[in-house]
Amino acid sequence: MVSADSADRYLPDSVERAVKLLVVGAFGVGKTTLIGSVSEIAPLRTEETMTEASRGVDDLAGLAGKTTTTVAMDFGRVTLNRRLALYLFGTPGQRRFWDLWEGLAEGALGVLVMVDTRRLEDSFEVLEQLELRGLPFAVAVNHFPDTPRHHTVEDLRRALDLLDETPVVLCDARRRRASLDALITLVEYVSAAAEQEVPV
């Protein structure tokens, strides 16, 4: 018998499919925050306190107050509906950890790329890595308190050099509903793309 306290650790019997998704992005864009905001289980985090050794290596411009960083992965789970559950794997943002992406990407259906418009150029290499791997992705533009509000989705699409069909959503990773909407957008996009590839 499952206790009430541990009931949320188990998937409902109605769930027929579990899908693996990656959450990627540059250093400090909110990946850990997004997974924490939507996960129905206590998220697994591999955060470590940043030390003097990272000074000059990790750019903290615009990240006042950031004292920890993910060094392996974040993991969370959300049951999207009665039949579908999402397993979320967040990757470290720093380039020196990108070798971990290979293992984390194995079996992933798609990728949610998180972007911070205050440091948009930090996203270019992340997007390039995804294109090299051929993984379908959607872009979630995370809102921070000092994020400029004058960017439109089309402005961001052009700045990031995205294909017209690549979904771009505005998001506040601290808010569960906004984070869920970003994940739903990705799932719908990947599902539609997969249906088009099925031979008739």
Side-chain angles (χ1 to χ4, degrees):
M1 170 134 177
V2 178
S3 70
D5 291 341
S6 62
D8 62 347
R9 285 187 280 171
Y10 299 91
L11 283 173
D13 293 338
S14 61
V15 171
E16 299 172 358
R17 186 173 183 206
V19 169
K20 179 180 181 179
L21 299 177
L22 289 189
V23 180
V24 308
F27 173 62
V29 295
K31 302 176 294 293
T32 298
T33 300
L34 181 136
I35 290 174
S37 75
V38 298
S39 183
E40 63 202 13
I41 59 173
L44 168 68
R45 293 182 171 141
T46 59
E47 286 195 303
E48 294 292 338
T49 301
M50 298 176 68
T51 66
E52 285 297 312
S54 69
R55 186 180 298 278
V57 177
D58 297 328
D59 183 4
L60 292 171
L63 299 173
K66 184 169 178 61
T67 59
T68 61
T69 186
T70 299
V71 296
M73 69 172 188
D74 295 313
F75 173 77
R77 187 193 76 207
V78 58
T79 306
L80 203 56
N81 57 44
R82 290 183 68 254
R83 297 167 53 189
L84 178 64
L86 306 179
Y87 289 120
L88 308 175
F89 290 79
T91 64
Q94 297 96 318
R95 187 185 187 114
R96 65 185 181 277
F97 295 127
W98 283 2
D99 288 346
L100 295 170
W101 286 26
E102 289 298 332
L104 291 175
E106 188 173 339
L109 187 70
V111 183
L112 186 67
V113 182
M114 299 195 65
V115 169
D116 178 356
T117 59
R118 302 170 305 170
R119 299 175 295 122
L120 201 60
E121 65 281 358
D122 293 350
S123 301
F124 299 155
E125 284 189 315
V126 173
L127 291 167
E128 183 179 340
Q129 289 298 309
L130 290 178
E131 289 169 359
L132 290 173
R133 287 169 170 79
L135 292 168
F137 63 88
V139 173
V141 181
N142 193 16
H143 176 77
F144 290 84
D146 58 342
T147 297
R149 295 189 176 266
H150 61 275
H151 299 297
T152 67
V153 167
E154 286 312 310
D155 287 340
L156 293 167
R157 185 184 301 283
R158 282 192 295 273
L160 295 169
D161 195 24
L162 300 174
L163 297 174
D164 290 343
E165 61 266 25
T166 302
V168 178
V169 296
L170 304 179
C171 173
D172 183 337
R174 300 168 300 177
R175 308 201 178 281
R176 187 172 198 272
R177 184 68 255 175
S179 298
L180 273 174
D181 287 346
L183 291 167
I184 289 169
T185 296
L186 171 62
V187 170
E188 289 176 342
Y189 171 64
V190 171
S191 298
E195 286 178 8
Q196 291 176 2
E197 291 177 5
V198 174
V200 179

